[in-house]
């Protein structure tokens, strides 16, 4: 009787267990089908059928192998975790070891102008002020930006912002600045604009520009850059290109923009990538003037800082070899650090090429700082920065270290009074002396 009772209990339990497993199995299959179909809508019915067939084939043995599979998955997760940890350590190690690694980027062939005409980081101004060197038909104020150092000009309303010190543009110049956005601008309207025009009355315009005007639009809402050229003679020209470097949809809210004019040609860079290279952007033979402008559909905040306007200089190779001396502000470092910024790669490559083509030439590399901070600290920093330049030229461009000497002068040899931001920027330099 006990045996019969045990058999009956076992049969009932088995049937219940089978029903439970079937119910769970059907639910897993249904979820798998729903999920696969959701993904398969974009891939076609055949893909869905194939995927479901594989799910159905495997579902029958799902629970028989449950414990074995669970153990296998736990083992794989542990192995993957260890592998991921190792990979993260490798990446961190590579990042740490390459922090000072500065190589030339073929997309970033920008060379900053040597003769600085204007620099502004707005540090001299109080929060809430508007710079007297700017004119506008809108409004703006100096602000601090969360997570960013220094002060920024906030362009609070749509309109034009004209820097009085950027006018009568020379045939060869560079213009650099950092620009950031906070908020959703939508992808309508023009965006953030750079207006180059021979018509001074057009500097305050944001649309319907007259002939003799060439414009660059940067729109982080659309993730696009575009141009519009309206020559006095000939046909209009326009084009749009992708701009992933400044795109609110991917949380890339800040970008460094670099522009380089060589007569009629304009090249535009976002961070270290070349966005545009237009051979006939400056179509007129008369002088151009310049203004920033903003035109966004929704309310948003646009910030601007570290504006540098300079005349494009002579060939690096020619100056070092023929004059025996080359001084550059184009090798940049992190604040109070000897870590070389990536945008310095172009100047370093030019110097490396000069030394490669003249194998008997030896140079002394001398670092200089501005007057901010203690004298002793600036002296040490300038020496470290000169040594970092030597390391970069030796490690990444193969220049024999024995051909290079280093020194640092700190703030002891200023080029000016070291008072304004522009003057301080000129004093932060690296000097190459032919030995």
């Amino acid at each position: 009787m006990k045996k019969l009772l045990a058999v009956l209990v076992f049969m009932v339990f088995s049937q219940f267990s089978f029903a439970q497993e079937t119910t769970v199995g059907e639910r897993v299959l249904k979820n798998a089908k729903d999920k696969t179909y959701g993904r398969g809508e974009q891939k076609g019915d055949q893909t869905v059928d194939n995927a479901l067939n594989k799910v159905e084939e495997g579902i029958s043995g799902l629970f028989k192998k449950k414990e074995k599979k669970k153990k296998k998955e736990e083992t794989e997760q542990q192995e993957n975790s260890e592998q991921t940890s190792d990979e993260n350590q490798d990446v961190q190690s590579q990042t740490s070891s390459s922090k000072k690694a500065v190589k030339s980027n073929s997309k970033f062939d920008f060379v900053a102008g040597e003769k600085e005409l204007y620099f502004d980081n707005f540090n001299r101004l109080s929060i809430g002020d508007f710079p007297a060197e700017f004119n506008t038909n809108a409004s703006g104020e100096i602000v601090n930006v969360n997570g960013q150092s220094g002060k920024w000009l906030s362009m609070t309303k749509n309109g034009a912002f004209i820097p009085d010190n950027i006018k009568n543009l020379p045939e060869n110049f560079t213009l650099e600045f950092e620009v950031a956005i906070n908020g959703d601008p939508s992808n309508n309207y023009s965006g953030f604009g750079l207006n180059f025009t021979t018509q001074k009355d057009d500097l305050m315009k944001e649309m319907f520009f007259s002939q003799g005007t060439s414009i660059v639009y940067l729109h982080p809402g659309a993730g696009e850059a575009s141009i519009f050229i309206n020559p006095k003679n000939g046909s209009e020209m326009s084009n749009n290109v992708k701009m992933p470097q400044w795109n609110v949809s991917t949380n890339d809210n800040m970008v460094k923009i670099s522009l380089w004019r060589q007569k009629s040609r304009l090249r535009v860079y976002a961070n270290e990538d070349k966005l545009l290279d237009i051979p006939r952007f400056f179509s007129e033979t008369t002088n151009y003037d310049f203004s920033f402008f903003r035109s966004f559909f929704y309310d948003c905040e646009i910030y601007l800082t570290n504006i540098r306007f300079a005349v494009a200089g002579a060939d690096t190779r020619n100056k070092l070899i023929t004059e025996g001396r080359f001084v550059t502000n184009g090798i940049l470092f992190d604040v109070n650090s000897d870590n070389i910024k990536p945008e310095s790669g172009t100047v370093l490559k030019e110097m490396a090429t000069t030394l490669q083509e003249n194998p008997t030439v030896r140079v002394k590399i001398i670092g200089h700082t501005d007057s901010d901070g203690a004298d002793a600290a600036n002296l040490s920093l300038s020496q470290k920065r000169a040594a970092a330049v030597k390391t970069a030229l030796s490690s990444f461009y193969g220049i024999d270290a024995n051909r290079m000497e280093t020194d640092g002068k700190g703030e002891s040899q200023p080029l000016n009074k070291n008072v304004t931001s522009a003057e301080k920027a000129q004093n932060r330099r690296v000097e190459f002396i032919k030995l």
Side-chain angles (χ1 to χ4, degrees), residues 367-370 375 378-379 382-383 408-413 427:
H368 298 268
T369 69
D370 59 30
D375 293 358
N378 284 334
L379 178 61
S382 67
Q383 293 168 343
K409 300 298 182 181
E411 60 184 85
S412 65
Q413 296 181 357
N427 288 324

Side-chain angles (χ1 to χ4, degrees), residues 51 99 160 172 250 278 333 403 414 425:
K99 190 171 184 180
N172 297 281
T250 56
I278 313 299
F333 301 85
R403 297 173 59 191

Side-chain angles (χ1 to χ4, degrees), residues 58 219 301 324 387 427:
H219 205 310
E301 296 171 278
N427 288 324

